[in-house]
């Protein structure tokens, strides 16, 4: 089976039922089927074929969903691009993925060597039949880019089987049904929303309200109006929700069935405070771009603070020299056009996650950080090397090391330690970064140091750097 066979449980079998609310308009599953067929017709007319890549640079929108389902139907490989990315990052992804085109709304903030199509023009004016393309479970469905420790983004190839096994796992283990009402505030370009929310919605068939973005200023009104039973968030969002008055928190909690958190470590204190205020214990789980979901605290059973829980069905996990290794149908097919990187990422069929972890006697896993220098800020991955390489382009910077410092709201924030060549204008360096990098990657502090601590072999010892100033 392919993803489309599973989607047909809603697109065909429940076509008259309301599927989606967006910007005050409701759509049935039949509407979603029709729109994706019409989008597929436009893609075919523009020369897209099975195996081609299509980059999509869009905020959460109906067109994003249309394009994704159309790609699934055509066997076109969907390549979402973070909308916070700028020229440097977009150019690399487009060059690496080698797509037929990029779909955007308005101008793309980068010069690319492929056509840029407008999302509003992708829906054909006339009804269209569903395309018929031969695919199987091993066919690639998407390429999701995730930064590597060298700073160069690598494309993780996720198959129909990867997405399907993940969705079926969370639907089963988190007791998701058509009776749920799901509020989507996470960005669909991220695997958290694409791999979990979108697929669970299209298979389980619950009613979903999609937000273009999560805005904490209006979240109280949105929760009160839609009355969701299911919500996926990142630690930053839950910290914001804790700012709500007790009466509102209790009212929202009274209608909720499940809050899920991932993409970054959830502080144990936030978990406890949230339960006290909302009357719900957040279910924390662990996944990554290359594997989607690996481990989850149980729906029924102890949701243990500070842990990510137990391996999901079909997923094997082991600790080797402190590092978490995983194997299962959720694990990606490999890195796009990077055979050596793919080989290096696997040992005896297990994927090396790069996360340091440990397992309790009763099987609960706890993550202790990254073997690499990964910074996770508000659910987004930041690899210091990319920022360091950019800052070294400035003639006033002799050496630089970027590290993450703890932040209650976002988990971590990047801080740059700089050895200068004479005087350096840190305000200008910050502006330079803002023009070249996604906003979440911009260092929140610049610290001048006389030298960087190094080992005898010249490796920077980041743990010996002085405390960062925010």
């Amino acid at each position: 089976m392919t993803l489309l066979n599973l989607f047909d449980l809603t697109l065909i079998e429940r076509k008259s039922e309301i599927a989606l609310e967006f910007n005050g308009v409701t759509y049935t599953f039949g509407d979603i089927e029709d729109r994706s067929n019409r989008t597929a017709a436009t893609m075919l007319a523009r020369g897209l074929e099975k195996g081609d890549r299509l980059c999509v640079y869009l905020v959460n929108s109906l067109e994003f969903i249309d394009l994704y389902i159309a790609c699934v139907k055509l066997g076109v490989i969907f390549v979402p691009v973070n909308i916070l990315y700028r020229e440097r990052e977009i150019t690399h992804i487009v060059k690496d993925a080698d797509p037929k085109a990029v779909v955007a709304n308005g101008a793309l903030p980068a010069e690319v060597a492929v056509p840029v199509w407008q999302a509003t023009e992708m829906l054909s004016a006339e009804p269209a039949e569903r395309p018929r393309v031969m695919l199987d479970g091993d066919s690639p469905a998407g390429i999701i880019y995730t930064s590597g420790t060298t700073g160069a983004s690598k494309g993780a190839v996720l198959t129909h089987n990867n997405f399907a096994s993940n969705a079926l796992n969370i639907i089963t283990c988190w007791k998701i049904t058509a009776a749920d009402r799901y509020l989507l505030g996470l960005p669909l370009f991220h695997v958290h929303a694409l791999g979990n929310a979108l697929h669970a919605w299209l298979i389980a068939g619950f009613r979903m309200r999609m937000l273009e973005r999560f805005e904490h200023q209006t979240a109280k009104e949105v929760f009160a109006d839609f009355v969701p039973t299911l919500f996926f968030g990142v630690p930053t969002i839950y910290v914001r929700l804790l700012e709500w008055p007790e009466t509102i928190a209790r009212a929202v909690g009274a209608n909720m069935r499940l809050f899920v958190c991932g993409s970054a470590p959830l502080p144990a204190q936030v978990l406890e405070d949230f339960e006290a205020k909302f009357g719900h214990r957040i279910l924390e789980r662990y996944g990554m771009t290359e594997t989607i979901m690996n481990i989850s605290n149980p729906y029924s059973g102890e949701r243990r603070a500070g842990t990510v829980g137990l391996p999901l069905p079909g997923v094997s996990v082991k600790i080797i020299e402190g590092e978490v290794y995983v194997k299962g149908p959720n694990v990606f097919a490999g890195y796009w056009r990077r055979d050596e990187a793919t080989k290096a990422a696997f040992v005896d069929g297990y994927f090396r996650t790069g996360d340091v972890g440990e397992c309790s006697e009763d099987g609960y896993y706890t993550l202790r950080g990254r073997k690499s220098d990964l910074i996770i800020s508000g659910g987004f991955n930041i690899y210091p090397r990319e920022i360091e390489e950019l800052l070294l382009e400035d003639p006033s910077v002799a050496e630089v090391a970027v590290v993450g410092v703890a932040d209650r709201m976002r988990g971590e924030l990047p801080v740059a330690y700089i050895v200068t060549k004479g005087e350096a204008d840190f305000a200008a360096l910050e502006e330079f970064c803002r023009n070249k990098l996604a906003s979440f990657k911009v260092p929140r502090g610049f610290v001048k140091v006389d030298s960087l601590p190094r080992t005898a072999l010249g490796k920077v010892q980041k743990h010996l750097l002085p405390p960062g100033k925010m």
Side-chain angles (χ1 to χ4, degrees):
M1 283 192 176
T2 68
L3 284 171
L4 189 56
N5 297 120
L6 295 174
F7 294 171
D8 281 349
L9 297 172
T10 56
L11 297 179
I12 302 300
E13 296 299 318
R14 299 174 53 208
K15 60 184 179 181
S16 63
E17 297 178 26
I18 293 177
L20 178 68
E21 299 180 20
F22 183 62
N23 286 342
V25 181
T26 60
Y27 302 87
T28 65
F29 286 109
D31 293 331
I32 302 299
E33 164 72 4
D34 174 66
R35 289 180 62 95
S36 59
N37 287 341
R38 291 161 62 191
T39 300
T42 301
M43 292 164 61
L44 282 170
R46 296 191 179 195
L48 280 164
E49 300 175 347
K50 174 182 174 181
D52 288 338
R53 278 76 58 207
L54 181 68
C55 284
V56 174
Y57 182 82
L58 294 173
V59 298
N60 288 2
S61 58
L62 203 56
E63 290 82 6
F64 191 110
I65 294 173
D66 295 338
L67 287 160
Y68 178 69
I69 301 175
C71 283
V72 168
K73 290 177 175 180
L74 290 171
V76 171
I77 304 172
F78 189 81
V79 187
V81 181
N82 189 324
I83 61 163
L84 299 178
Y85 282 174
R86 293 297 176 259
E87 183 173 7
R88 186 185 188 94
E89 301 138 318
I90 295 169
T91 301
H92 166 71
I93 290 175
V94 172
K95 182 179 179 181
D96 191 73
D98 189 23
K100 279 285 186 72
V102 180
V103 180
N105 269 332
L108 194 70
E111 292 293 330
V112 294
V114 298
V116 178
W117 297 339
Q118 295 303 303
T120 54
E121 299 172 356
M122 296 303 295
L123 192 70
S124 69
E126 299 298 325
E129 295 294 323
R130 175 185 285 191
R132 304 293 175 184
V133 178
M134 178 61 71
L135 301 169
D136 61 31
D138 292 325
S139 299
I143 299 176
I144 316 296
Y145 276 80
T146 178
S147 296
T149 54
T150 62
S153 295
K154 299 189 292 291
V157 180
L158 294 168
T159 67
H160 283 246
N161 279 341
N162 293 150
F163 281 128
S165 65
N166 178 78
L168 294 173
N169 259 351
I170 66 171
I171 287 170
T172 301
C173 293
W174 299 346
K175 299 189 71 172
I176 297 171
T177 71
D180 276 310
R181 295 171 62 86
Y182 173 71
L183 179 62
L184 172 62
L186 297 170
L188 284 170
F189 60 72
H190 196 287
V191 74
H192 188 158
L194 180 66
N196 291 344
L198 200 69
H199 288 88
W201 167 61
L202 287 167
I203 297 171
F206 47 77
R207 183 164 176 163
M208 178 170 75
R209 177 180 289 190
M210 179 171 63
L211 308 178
E212 186 173 300
R213 63 180 63 83
F214 181 85
E215 296 178 331
H216 68 90
Q217 299 92 335
T218 59
K220 290 192 294 290
E221 291 75 18
V222 173
F223 270 86
D225 181 60
F226 182 59
V227 193
T229 64
L230 181 64
F231 183 76
F232 301 164
V234 297
T236 305
I237 289 177
Y238 289 112
V239 170
R240 287 291 191 184
L241 296 186
L242 282 174
E243 298 172 0
W244 289 2
E246 188 85 26
T247 53
I248 294 177
R250 281 290 169 179
V252 167
N255 296 299
M256 283 293 298
R257 184 181 65 80
L258 180 63
F259 290 97
V260 179
C261 185
S263 296
L266 179 69
Q269 190 59 53
V270 173
L271 182 103
E272 302 295 347
D273 291 347
F274 194 89
E275 183 175 19
K277 196 164 195 175
F278 283 78
H280 282 266
R281 194 167 183 83
I282 297 168
L283 188 153
E284 187 174 9
R285 85 305 180 278
Y286 162 55
M288 56 198 311
T289 302
E290 292 95 333
T291 65
I292 325 179
M293 292 297 99
N294 300 311
I295 301 172
S296 171
N297 271 273
Y299 182 86
S300 299
E302 182 188 0
R303 300 178 193 173
R304 191 173 299 175
T307 79
V308 291
L310 310 163
L312 287 164
V315 179
S316 299
V317 180
K318 61 183 177 179
I319 306 292
I320 302 177
E321 296 182 351
E323 183 179 357
V324 180
Y325 284 57
V326 301
K327 180 174 67 174
N330 57 310
V331 178
F332 75 137
Y335 292 112
W336 175 251
R337 292 179 174 173
R338 292 176 185 260
D339 291 342
E340 291 304 313
T342 299
K343 290 177 184 177
F346 288 87
V347 176
D348 296 331
Y350 280 81
F351 175 66
R352 304 176 58 181
T353 68
D355 288 308
V356 176
E358 58 190 43
C359 184
S360 67
E361 290 185 358
D362 58 348
Y364 278 73
Y365 283 82
T366 300
L367 303 180
R368 298 302 185 193
R370 293 287 294 176
K371 291 190 71 173
S372 65
D373 296 328
L374 177 68
I375 300 168
I376 301 180
S377 183
F380 291 114
N381 289 354
I382 303 172
Y383 282 89
R385 179 71 179 272
E386 182 182 15
I387 306 171
E388 292 163 357
E389 289 176 350
L390 176 62
L391 286 169
L392 286 170
E393 293 179 9
D394 189 284
S396 69
V397 177
E399 294 181 284
V400 59
V402 174
V403 300
V405 298
D407 179 77
R408 185 172 185 271
M409 183 64 68
R410 301 192 66 80
E412 293 179 293
L413 292 173
V415 171
Y417 291 82
I418 296 176
V419 179
T420 65
K421 300 174 184 177
E423 293 298 318
D425 184 346
F426 286 167
L429 285 176
E430 180 178 354
E431 184 63 23
F432 176 59
C433 290
R434 290 194 180 283
N435 290 333
K436 297 291 185 178
L437 297 170
S439 58
F440 62 85
K441 297 181 183 178
V442 177
R444 297 306 196 269
F446 292 82
V447 181
K448 184 176 180 179
V449 293
D450 294 330
S451 63
L452 299 177
R454 295 179 182 273
T455 67
L457 296 176
K459 184 178 180 180
V460 177
Q461 296 176 294
K462 293 185 176 183
H463 65 285
L464 297 179
L465 289 165
K469 298 177 182 179
M470 303 303 297

